[in-house]
Amino acid sequence: MVRHHQLISLWQRCRAEGREQVEAIELSPELFVQVVVTPFQERGAAGYVVIIQDLTQVRRLQVMRRDFISNLSHELRTPLASLRAVVETLQEGALADPPAAERFLRQAENEVNTMTQMVDELTELSQIESGQVRLRLVPAEMASLVEVPLERLRPQAERAGVALVVDIPGDLPETLVDVERVQQVITNLLHNAIKFTPPGGSVRMSAAQREAGDDRASEVIIEVHDTGIGIPKDDLTRVFERFYKSDRARTRDKGGTGLGLSIARHLVEAHGGRIWAKSKVGKGSSFFFTLPVASD
């Protein structure tokens, strides 16, 4: 009946020892179970009760928790180490050199700001995931949604030597959104695109309507495309995870908390939309998300 060697081995061990056996077994990459084999004897009949419990979801959550703790520790280690170095340097005499002391204090302030931002974003992410953030949905034009993020990030793009291009048709229907939250999503996507695009490159933001079909409502699809370094194929499915950074060796000097895309995903999904990415290493990346069209 069962051809899996670990299940057979567990039953054989139960038969040989005459007592209950319990073991967690990975039957496949998609299926993780706990198996309990218990011997029984009743009215002269002997046999074994085998209980198989699907723990795939439990294990996935355990792995996520372990990765979260590991990633959080990793992200905190760098600013804490830098703060320790600053304090030790000041204690060893740098306080007597005002220009050096001022430089080290600025560095300490930057590290504190980094950790503060991380804590703030983690708190916000937790609130979004638990449903504590209530969206204030109103009809809004696409052009008005992108205006504030574009103006906010234009100086950053100019300093980086990256061209910002906007292609938003004027006849797009209004979307039903929480304006501030959607602007946060756009800001996160544009910020990442600019950050990972080398000088001379470009970031293009566009939008188009997709009409309603048999299995979907009418929606607006927004795309942020860059000509940057790109994302490896194996990383594309994980870029929206907390703290996940594609190729840490390449992104270590880019800063950020690694939470922006995760926050963007939750905010888009809270609007009933979808978010995804396409990319080729060295050819740039495109991030897409959808927003529902406001009904007439």
Side-chain angles (χ1 to χ4, degrees), residues 242-267:
R242 301 181 193 183
F243 293 118
Y244 191 80
K245 296 182 181 180
S246 175
D247 194 345
R248 291 183 182 273
R250 292 190 298 158
T251 63
R252 188 177 296 115
D253 62 337
K254 298 296 184 179
T257 63
L259 295 169
L261 288 179
S262 184
I263 291 174
R265 174 173 67 87
H266 283 285
L267 289 177

Side-chain angles (χ1 to χ4, degrees), residues 146 150 165-168 186 190 203-207 222-224:
V146 304
L150 285 170
V165 182
V166 183
D167 181 14
I168 305 294
I186 295 171
L190 286 174
V203 172
R204 179 177 180 269
M205 184 170 187
S206 59
I222 300 93
E223 176 185 1
V224 176

Side-chain angles (χ1 to χ4, degrees), residues 11-37:
W11 166 70
Q12 289 174 337
R13 191 160 69 243
C14 177
R15 185 176 61 175
E17 298 181 11
R19 56 189 177 89
E20 182 178 272
Q21 302 292 323
V22 182
E23 187 172 328
I25 300 175
E26 186 173 12
L27 295 179
S28 72
E30 295 79 30
L31 183 58
F32 183 79
V33 300
Q34 177 175 272
V35 182
V36 181
V37 183

Side-chain angles (χ1 to χ4, degrees), residues 1-284:
M1 293 179 63
V2 179
R3 296 186 179 273
H4 196 281
H5 70 92
Q6 286 177 284
L7 291 176
I8 296 172
S9 175
L10 189 64
W11 166 70
Q12 289 174 337
R13 191 160 69 243
C14 177
R15 185 176 61 175
E17 298 181 11
R19 56 189 177 89
E20 182 178 272
Q21 302 292 323
V22 182
E23 187 172 328
I25 300 175
E26 186 173 12
L27 295 179
S28 72
E30 295 79 30
L31 183 58
F32 183 79
V33 300
Q34 177 175 272
V35 182
V36 181
V37 183
T38 306
F40 76 91
Q41 186 169 0
E42 185 177 351
R43 296 179 183 177
Y48 303 87
V49 176
V50 180
I51 300 174
I52 301 177
Q53 183 181 12
D54 186 354
L55 297 180
T56 306
Q57 179 69 3
V58 174
R59 188 192 196 197
R60 187 180 73 85
L61 293 174
Q62 288 175 339
V63 170
M64 289 177 61
R65 181 178 62 180
R66 182 192 65 205
D67 288 348
F68 171 73
I69 294 173
S70 175
N71 289 331
L72 179 60
S73 299
H74 177 89
E75 295 300 328
L76 288 174
R77 189 174 297 118
T78 299
L80 286 174
S82 180
L83 279 174
R84 177 185 291 252
V86 168
V87 171
E88 290 177 349
T89 303
L90 292 173
Q91 288 175 334
E92 291 171 0
L95 279 173
D97 184 350
E102 184 177 348
R103 185 175 71 253
F104 284 120
L105 287 175
R106 281 198 303 268
Q107 182 180 345
E109 182 183 22
N110 290 337
E111 300 298 351
V112 170
N113 289 339
T114 296
M115 289 189 288
T116 300
Q117 180 187 355
M118 190 182 305
V119 171
D120 290 343
E121 291 186 351
L122 276 172
T123 302
E124 181 180 23
L125 189 55
S126 176
Q127 292 173 342
I128 295 171
E129 289 179 337
S130 62
Q132 296 179 27
V133 174
R134 302 300 179 189
L135 299 181
R136 296 184 293 273
L137 300 178
V138 296
E141 294 182 354
M142 199 66 233
S144 66
L145 289 175
V146 304
E147 182 178 358
V148 172
L150 285 170
E151 290 307 310
R152 183 182 300 154
L153 293 173
R154 198 174 296 279
Q156 177 188 341
E158 291 174 353
R159 289 193 300 270
V162 174
L164 272 182
V165 182
V166 183
D167 181 14
I168 305 294
D171 58 351
L172 284 177
E174 290 185 328
T175 53
L176 188 63
V177 298
D178 182 311
V179 174
E180 184 179 343
R181 293 300 186 177
V182 170
Q183 288 178 339
Q184 185 179 2
V185 172
I186 295 171
T187 298
N188 287 348
L189 295 181
L190 286 174
H191 176 74
N192 273 2
I194 295 169
K195 183 167 60 174
F196 293 107
T197 299
S202 64
V203 172
R204 179 177 180 269
M205 184 170 187
S206 59
Q209 181 182 7
R210 190 171 79 168
E211 297 294 345
D214 295 337
D215 60 345
R216 66 177 187 273
S218 183
E219 59 187 6
V220 172
I221 301 178
I222 300 93
E223 176 185 1
V224 176
H225 173 75
D226 65 65
T227 59
I229 61 178
I231 303 169
K233 182 178 179 180
D234 292 343
D235 292 334
L236 274 178
T237 58
R238 301 194 62 190
V239 293
F240 297 104
E241 294 179 14
R242 301 181 193 183
F243 293 118
Y244 191 80
K245 296 182 181 180
S246 175
D247 194 345
R248 291 183 182 273
R250 292 190 298 158
T251 63
R252 188 177 296 115
D253 62 337
K254 298 296 184 179
T257 63
L259 295 169
L261 288 179
S262 184
I263 291 174
R265 174 173 67 87
H266 283 285
L267 289 177
V268 169
E269 291 177 350
H271 281 81
R274 298 166 291 114
I275 187 168
W276 69 97
K278 296 180 180 179
S279 184
K280 288 186 178 180
V281 175
K283 300 294 185 180

